[in-house]
């Protein structure tokens, strides 16, 4: 079972982090707009269970993602299952129609422009995402996908990388929680 080990930091300016990532050999991709539509479950309260279900659109690509509850009090580490869907507007519309037919209801949409870089660091493949989130501001996410036995090591590596990138005051709440004011 794979876990998403993540730290997120609000920042005033992304350029300093971008420069440091490039100095470490990271290549930063061009920005891509991500539109994440979150849904509530018809029989359980995801806010209480700390779970999330979303449909993500990135250009013409569509994904459905389930995020399990956070597993600790210091990071955003959680199980994540993501499945690609049929691409294009029709593919997205079909999954929305299926969800709503099954009783799932839309909760909110999070829209962000994301620039990312992936590189090897301290024995892990690390994703550094530099986000400009509508209604929220700028953030940097550091993420490692790890097996359960690797979670503690991945957390330590992310904390070291955060320090090297000059990041502090991590934010455990998701963008959805921040938008909803939870």
């Amino acid at each position: 079972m794979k876990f998403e080990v993540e730290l997120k930091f609000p920042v005033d300016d992304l350029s300093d982090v971008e420069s440091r990532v490039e100095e470490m050999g990271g290549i930063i991709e061009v920005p891509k707009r991500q539109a994440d539509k979150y849904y509530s479950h018809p029989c359980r309260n995801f806010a209480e269970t700390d779970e999330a279900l979303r449909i993500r659109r990135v250009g013409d690509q569509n994904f459905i993602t389930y995020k399990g509850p956070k597993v600790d009090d210091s990071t955003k580490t959680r199980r994540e299952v993501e499945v690609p869907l049929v691409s294009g507007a029709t593919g997205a519309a079909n999954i929305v129609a299926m969800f709503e037919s099954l009783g799932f209801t839309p909760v909110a949409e999070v829209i962000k422009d994301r620039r990312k870089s992936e590189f090897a660091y301290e024995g892990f493949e690390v994703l550094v995402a530099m986000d400009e989130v509508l209604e929220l501001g700028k953030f940097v996410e550091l993420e490692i996908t790890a097996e359960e036995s690797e979670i503690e090591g991945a957390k330590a590596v992310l904390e070291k990388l955060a320090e090297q990138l000059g990041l502090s005051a991590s934010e455990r709440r998701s963008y959805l929680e921040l938008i909803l004011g939870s």
Side-chain angles (χ1 to χ4, degrees), residues 118-129:
E118 294 183 64
F119 55 91
Y121 182 80
E122 300 283 324
F124 287 96
E125 279 298 311
V126 178
L127 168 70
V128 178

Side-chain angles (χ1 to χ4, degrees), residues 10-11 31 39 54 62 82 85 92 128 143 149 165 171 179 182:
V11 296
Y39 286 84
R54 74 169 181 228
N62 302 306
E82 186 167 80
L85 299 170
V128 178
E143 179 183 313
S149 62
L165 294 174
E171 172 61 68
I179 284 177
S182 330

Side-chain angles (χ1 to χ4, degrees), residues 15-31:
S15 59
D16 186 47
V17 173
E18 290 171 357
S19 296
R20 291 178 190 217
V21 166
E22 288 171 337
E23 287 170 8
M24 296 173 71
I27 297 170
I28 300 172
E29 297 178 0
V30 297

Side-chain angles (χ1 to χ4, degrees), residues 31-145:
K32 292 184 181 172
R33 168 105 355 146
Q34 295 182 345
D36 296 340
K37 193 170 203 174
Y38 287 86
Y39 286 84
S40 66
H41 192 284
C43 300
R44 70 179 187 241
N45 184 336
F46 282 161
E48 290 177 5
T49 62
D50 192 28
E51 297 170 285
L53 182 68
R54 74 169 181 228
I55 298 171
R56 171 172 282 173
R57 297 200 64 198
V58 183
D60 211 29
Q61 297 178 308
N62 302 306
F63 304 88
I64 184 170
T65 308
Y66 164 77
K67 292 185 174 237
K70 295 178 195 90
V71 299
D72 65 42
D73 291 332
S74 62
T75 68
K76 293 184 62 210
T77 301
R78 60 193 337 172
R79 181 172 178 228
E80 180 178 284
V81 180
E82 186 167 80
V83 178
L85 299 170
V86 174
S87 62
T90 302
N94 287 343
I95 194 67
V96 165
M98 180 185 293
F99 273 21
E100 292 178 2
S101 295
L102 292 170
F104 290 83
T105 54
V107 174
E109 187 169 37
V110 175
I111 299 174
K112 64 182 170 282
D113 292 315
R114 171 169 279 184
R115 297 183 73 203
K116 64 182 182 177
S117 179
E118 294 183 64
F119 55 91
Y121 182 80
E122 300 283 324
F124 287 96
E125 279 298 311
V126 178
L127 168 70
V128 178
M130 290 144 286
D131 295 336
E132 294 188 45
V133 185
L134 294 181
E135 301 179 32
L136 293 179
K138 297 174 180 145
F139 295 84
V140 176
E141 290 187 355
L142 307 177
E143 179 183 313
I144 294 173
T145 301

